[in-house]
Amino acid sequence: MAGTGRGRGLTVAALVTGLLGLLLGIGSFTYGRSAYGLGTVRSENMTPTYEPGDRVVWERVDGGEVRRGDVVAFSAPDRYPGAGVHVQRVIGVGGDRVACCTRVGGRERVTVNGKPVEEPYVFQGEADGVHHPYDVKVPRGRLFLLGDHRSNSMDSRFFVADHDGTLPVGAVEGRLTGDRAGLALVGTALLVGVVLVLTGVGLGIGALVVRRRKAPVVPPVPWPVGPAQG
């Protein structure tokens, strides 16, 4: 009876531990996929901010939430053949007027709504890079995007026939982030879930072993025999 009791207790522990691990693992995996995206930079268009081969993380946000200066991951198969996402920087949002270029202090600068933009991130300080002037009024619900390597980036400047090169906010997959804390927390929760599931499996195996173990055979106690009565 003691072995049966231990087996039943292990079975309950296995079920509870395994279910908790399964719920934690599935929940963290589902949340991670819905909240974050992962990708690899494939070109030099964002040098020096991101180099080819860099692994990047983006938080999934609605395209209407991004702001000037944000680096976004987006999908535009009509412009860039092949699967996958692309990475560029938001220069203008709906209603902005983006123009290139104005010379300030001996340097060319992009202007947004008539004001020169400080862009410390551009490659070798070149705000233009290709001597390709433009003056664009960004429609509502669209974005004007540029790469940080202005002389080596196929960005909004080269698609003027399509809404002056702007992209719809719906093309945005997410905003790149250097904060990996949230993703690390999701990964930790997923790992804990896996450990709990494996622990539940181990407890279940232990319960089977205990249940199948035969209880020791105890010989019957002999009945005392008294003197014969006549």
Side-chain angles (χ1 to χ4, degrees):
M1 294 297 292
T4 302
R6 287 196 299 271
R8 186 177 297 113
L10 285 172
T11 300
V12 172
L15 288 173
V16 172
T17 303
L19 284 174
L20 283 175
L22 197 60
L23 290 173
L24 182 60
I26 292 175
S28 58
F29 178 77
T30 302
Y31 173 77
R33 282 182 62 88
S34 64
Y36 297 97
L38 299 171
T40 302
V41 177
R42 296 180 294 176
S43 72
E44 296 181 352
N45 76 304
M46 285 300 293
T47 302
T49 308
Y50 298 103
E51 300 288 348
D54 284 354
R55 294 285 290 172
V56 292
V57 177
W58 59 85
E59 51 182 349
R60 298 191 186 278
V61 297
D62 184 86
E65 297 178 37
V66 300
R67 299 292 179 262
R68 302 184 202 99
D70 287 345
V71 178
V72 296
F74 64 94
S75 176
D78 54 333
R79 294 186 181 182
Y80 308 100
V85 297
H86 303 270
V87 176
Q88 290 177 14
R89 190 179 297 274
V90 178
I91 303 300
V93 298
D96 286 341
R97 182 179 178 182
V98 182
C100 182
C101 279
T102 294
R103 187 166 291 277
V104 179
R107 291 176 50 204
E108 289 185 321
R109 302 264 289 277
V110 172
T111 63
V112 176
N113 301 324
K115 298 180 180 180
V117 180
E118 282 288 347
E119 297 187 285
Y121 42 76
V122 296
F123 181 71
Q124 295 184 346
E126 294 185 359
D128 180 4
V130 293
H131 305 294
H132 185 77
Y134 52 86
D135 190 341
V136 174
K137 182 66 179 291
V138 184
R140 296 291 178 183
R142 301 186 74 87
L143 304 169
F144 189 85
L145 307 176
L146 295 177
D148 288 354
H149 193 337
R150 298 289 159 80
S151 61
N152 190 20
S153 178
M154 285 293 293
D155 45 42
S156 290
R157 298 171 293 176
F158 301 98
F159 299 96
V160 292
D162 180 15
H163 296 83
D164 286 328
T166 60
L167 276 175
V169 294
V172 173
E173 297 282 343
R175 175 173 46 211
L176 269 65
T177 176
D179 183 6
R180 307 293 178 92
L183 190 63
L185 186 61
V186 171
T188 300
L190 180 59
L191 181 60
V192 171
V194 171
V195 170
L196 287 175
V197 168
L198 293 177
T199 301
V201 171
L203 289 172
I205 294 173
L208 287 175
V209 171
V210 170
R211 282 175 173 273
R212 290 179 178 180
R213 184 183 300 159
K214 292 183 179 180
V217 178
V218 179
V221 178
W223 188 263
V225 181
Q229 299 184 9

